[in-house]
């Protein structure tokens, strides 16, 4: 079932952007316009202004309401988009005054996600986020949902019952939550299998449109959709890659983050973001050519903190092809450990340096070498096989067994301790 009828886009929209002086969470006008464009609307007007604090009734002042109302009539706009979070009461009051649909920043982002969802899991997550957002705006819903035929903020994976009441809405939310819990369990089983096989996970994170999917395609030779638009990627993608001198690794591409990402979305996409939480290494991809890159880094770090991701981070400054005089390189700390990589995923410049840096960051915590075991250590051989750590085996002379072992260093040390051994007790051939 679908909650909203699909709309072909191209709606005429008026954008409203205010600078609130006592609000530290000011928004970026250019980013707002990119969001509107990503939603597929046609901008027919822009209202900007300044306020000390939001008006409790309309968010904007009554003078601005009249200005917006006149512009709606002059341009025949179908929707007014606010670059701010509006309360349900503010949305209702504005719609009553403007006589057209009003959508805030959260609703706009939800609509973009509704358009991008392709997989079953992605659609479930978007629907849960939409319904959670709609639940607080159900009163507004009675006034116009029945006569609308989709459109921005009114589309996406979900139910067709536009006449639903709060009880049915709550039941649907519970049902979706249970289904996503099952998705989470399946993902957990997959991660457990990879951990048993000692295959680390490297997860790409970053601000939306930083170039994560382009970089993912370079590293994996995949064909993940990549475009110069916000939230081009919504559904997570996992690929297995082989790092030279290291071995197999799972690379995960995830949804892009944005400033003030709606909590409904963070909660709904928790199953997906667990790939980030459980990763062995995070590749934080940054648009190195953006003037807002420092603020974007802070925004991503806030979301990572919210979902509980505390894995080591390697910064990736992408798009050096747009920076004059900037060459691909690895930035290292005083101990020589890679901290950041400058590259261009589009031009494939510096991607080899990134592969080198990933292997170095993962390498110190991983054992990948040959062990020579005498016949008396047959139980140790069995333990290594049980751990899924044996890559290859050769039989030597005098009953010696040579094992190519690959697993986390700490796990190998635990196995050896059970046998009351250390690495120095084993014959390590040159």
């Amino acid at each position: 079932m679908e909650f909203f009828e699909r709309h072909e886009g191209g709606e005429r929209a008026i954008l409203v952007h205010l600078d609130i002086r006592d609000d530290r969470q000011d928004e970026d006008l250019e980013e707002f316009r990119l969001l509107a464009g990503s939603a597929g609307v046609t901008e027919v007007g822009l209202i900007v202004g300044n306020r000390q604090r939001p008006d409790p009734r309309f968010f904007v002042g009554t003078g601005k309401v009249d200005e917006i109302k006149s512009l709606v009539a002059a341009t025949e706009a179908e929707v007014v988009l606010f670059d701010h979070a509006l309360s349900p009461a503010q949305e209702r009051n504005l719609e009553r005054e403007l006589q057209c649909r009003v959508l805030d920043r959260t609703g706009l982002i939800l609509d973009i996600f509704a358009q991008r969802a392709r997989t079953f899991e992605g659609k479930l997550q978007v629907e849960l986020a939409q319904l959670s957002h709609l639940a607080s705006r159900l009163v507004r819903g009675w006034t116009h949902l029945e006569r609308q035929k989709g459109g921005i903020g009114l589309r996406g994976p979900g139910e067709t019952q536009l006449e639903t009441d709060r009880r049915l809405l709550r039941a649907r939310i519970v049902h979706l939550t249970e289904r996503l819990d099952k998705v989470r369990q399946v993902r957990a089983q997959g991660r457990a299998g990879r951990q048993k096989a000692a295959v680390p996970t490297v997860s790409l994170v970053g601000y939306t449109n930083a170039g994560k999917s382009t970089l993912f395609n370079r590293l994996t030779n995949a064909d993940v959709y990549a475009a110069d638009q916000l939230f081009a990627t919504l559904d997570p993608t996992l690929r297995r890659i082989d790092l030279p001198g290291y071995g197999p690794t799972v690379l995960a591409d995830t949804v892009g983050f944005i400033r003030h990402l709606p909590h409904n979305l963070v909660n709904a996409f928790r199953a997906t973001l667990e790939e980030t939480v459980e990763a062995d290494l995070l590749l934080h991809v940054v648009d190195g050519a953006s003037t807002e890159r420092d603020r974007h880094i802070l925004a991503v770090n806030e979301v990572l903190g919210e979902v509980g991701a505390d894995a080591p981070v390697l910064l990736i400054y992408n798009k050096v092809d747009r920076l004059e005089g900037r060459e691909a390189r690895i930035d290292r700390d005083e101990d020589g450990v890679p901290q950041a990589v400058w590259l261009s995923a589009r031009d494939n410049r510096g991607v080899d340096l990134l592969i080198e840096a990933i292997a170095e960051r993962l390498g110190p915590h991983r054992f990948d070498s040959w062990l020579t075991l005498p016949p008396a250590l047959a139980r140790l051989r069995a333990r290594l096989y049980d751990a899924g750590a044996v890559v290859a085996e050769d039989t030597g002379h005098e009953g010696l067994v040579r094992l190519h072992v690959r697993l986390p260093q700490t796990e190998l040390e635990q196995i050896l301790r059970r046998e009351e051994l250390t690495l120095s007790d084993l014959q390590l051939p040159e």
Side-chain angles (χ1 to χ4, degrees):
M1 293 190 299
E2 287 206 356
F3 189 62
F4 298 120
E5 298 178 41
R6 300 298 298 172
H7 186 87
E8 296 303 319
E11 291 173 285
R12 301 168 65 81
I14 291 173
L15 279 53
V16 180
H17 174 89
L18 295 187
D19 286 325
I20 307 298
R21 294 190 183 92
D22 65 353
D23 185 2
R24 296 179 183 177
Q25 296 187 340
D26 58 314
E27 305 294 357
D28 180 4
L29 176 57
E30 186 56 35
E31 181 177 90
F32 179 41
R33 297 180 108 156
L34 285 173
L35 279 172
S38 296
V41 302
T42 300
E43 180 185 335
V44 295
L46 174 66
I47 300 287
V48 296
N50 296 278
R51 280 189 67 86
Q52 188 67 34
R53 61 185 60 85
D55 178 79
R57 187 180 178 198
F58 294 116
F59 190 86
V60 296
T62 53
K64 281 293 179 189
V65 172
D66 292 339
E67 185 180 344
I68 299 169
K69 191 172 184 178
S70 299
L71 193 55
V72 168
T75 61
E76 298 182 345
E78 300 165 85
V79 61
V80 176
L81 305 177
F82 277 74
D83 191 20
H84 311 275
L86 301 178
S87 70
Q90 287 169 338
E91 277 194 13
R92 288 196 300 271
N93 293 337
L94 285 165
E95 287 188 338
R96 193 176 296 118
E97 286 292 320
L98 303 177
Q99 291 298 298
C100 74
R101 227 162 48 251
V102 173
L103 208 61
D104 68 354
R105 180 182 173 88
T106 298
L108 177 60
I109 294 175
L110 282 170
D111 185 84
I112 296 170
F113 272 54
Q115 296 179 58
R116 301 285 191 267
R118 293 293 179 268
T119 66
F120 173 71
E121 178 190 350
K123 291 178 179 180
L124 281 180
Q125 293 177 125
V126 170
E127 183 184 349
L128 177 59
Q130 285 182 313
L131 295 183
S132 300
H133 184 63
L134 180 63
S136 65
R137 286 155 165 78
L138 206 53
V139 175
R140 184 199 74 164
W142 297 135
T143 65
H144 67 282
L145 283 182
E146 295 170 74
R147 64 174 184 268
Q148 296 294 342
K149 297 297 182 183
I152 183 168
L154 300 174
R155 60 181 154 208
E159 284 187 290
T160 50
Q161 279 188 284
L162 300 183
E163 308 84 16
T164 185
D165 60 13
R166 289 186 184 277
R167 181 178 58 81
L168 291 178
L169 198 62
R170 284 196 299 268
R172 182 66 178 166
I173 289 174
V174 169
H175 174 67
L176 289 172
T177 303
E178 290 173 349
R179 295 179 79 174
L180 282 170
D181 283 342
K182 292 180 181 178
V183 171
R184 185 177 291 115
Q185 292 170 12
V186 171
R187 285 190 176 277
Q189 291 171 358
R191 282 193 298 271
R194 295 197 299 271
Q195 290 167 358
K196 184 175 181 180
V199 178
T201 298
V202 177
S203 187
L204 289 166
V205 298
Y207 208 77
T208 181
N209 204 30
K212 295 184 302 302
S213 294
T214 303
L215 182 58
F216 183 86
N217 289 337
R218 286 290 185 192
L219 291 170
T220 64
N221 294 318
D223 191 24
V224 172
Y225 178 66
D228 188 16
Q229 61 185 23
L230 301 186
F231 300 115
T233 301
L234 177 60
D235 299 306
T237 308
L238 301 179
R239 291 288 187 277
R240 186 183 177 109
I241 62 174
D242 283 302
L243 295 177
Y246 183 81
T249 304
V250 170
L251 190 66
D253 188 19
T254 59
V255 63
F257 300 156
I258 197 168
R259 268 180 292 178
H260 317 147
L261 189 66
H263 287 285
N264 287 339
L265 278 181
V266 174
N267 290 329
F269 280 77
R270 197 166 291 277
T272 299
L273 294 174
E274 280 179 359
E275 293 295 347
T276 298
V277 176
E278 300 293 336
D280 297 278
L281 178 66
L282 297 180
L283 303 184
H284 182 167
V285 184
V286 181
D287 182 349
S290 172
T291 57
E292 295 285 306
R293 72 186 187 200
D294 290 338
R295 296 178 71 181
H296 292 175
I297 291 172
L298 288 175
V300 171
N301 289 339
E302 285 180 9
V303 178
L304 291 176
E306 190 171 345
V307 300
D310 58 357
V313 176
L314 177 64
L315 275 172
I316 313 298
Y317 290 102
N318 190 24
K319 306 184 183 181
V320 295
D321 52 295
R322 300 183 183 179
L323 293 172
E324 189 174 346
R326 179 75 68 175
E327 295 297 326
R329 71 167 194 267
I330 299 177
D331 291 343
R332 302 175 181 273
D333 63 14
E334 59 272 13
D335 297 320
V337 178
Q339 300 298 312
V341 179
W342 295 77
L343 55 78
S344 171
R346 188 178 68 174
D347 293 352
N348 201 23
R349 195 193 321 166
V351 175
D352 55 337
L353 297 177
L354 172 60
I355 293 173
E356 175 188 333
I358 294 173
E360 285 189 46
R361 290 294 299 263
L362 292 174
H365 308 291
R366 187 175 177 86
F367 182 86
D368 187 355
S369 185
W370 288 86
L371 299 177
T372 302
L373 278 59
L377 295 182
R379 192 167 63 180
L380 173 60
R381 174 181 173 277
R383 286 187 182 276
L384 291 171
Y385 268 100
D386 288 342
V390 179
V391 178
E393 177 176 342
D394 285 339
T395 303
H397 59 284
E398 299 179 357
L400 295 176
V401 174
R402 296 180 68 244
L403 298 178
H404 182 189
V405 175
R406 181 186 294 145
L407 77 169
Q409 183 84 22
T410 53
E411 188 174 343
L412 175 61
E413 291 171 356
Q414 290 174 358
I415 292 174
L416 293 176
R417 276 199 298 271
R418 294 193 194 106
E419 299 298 321
E420 298 182 349
L421 296 168
T422 64
L423 270 176
S424 60
D425 297 322
L426 304 178
Q427 181 183 353
L428 300 174
E430 296 181 2

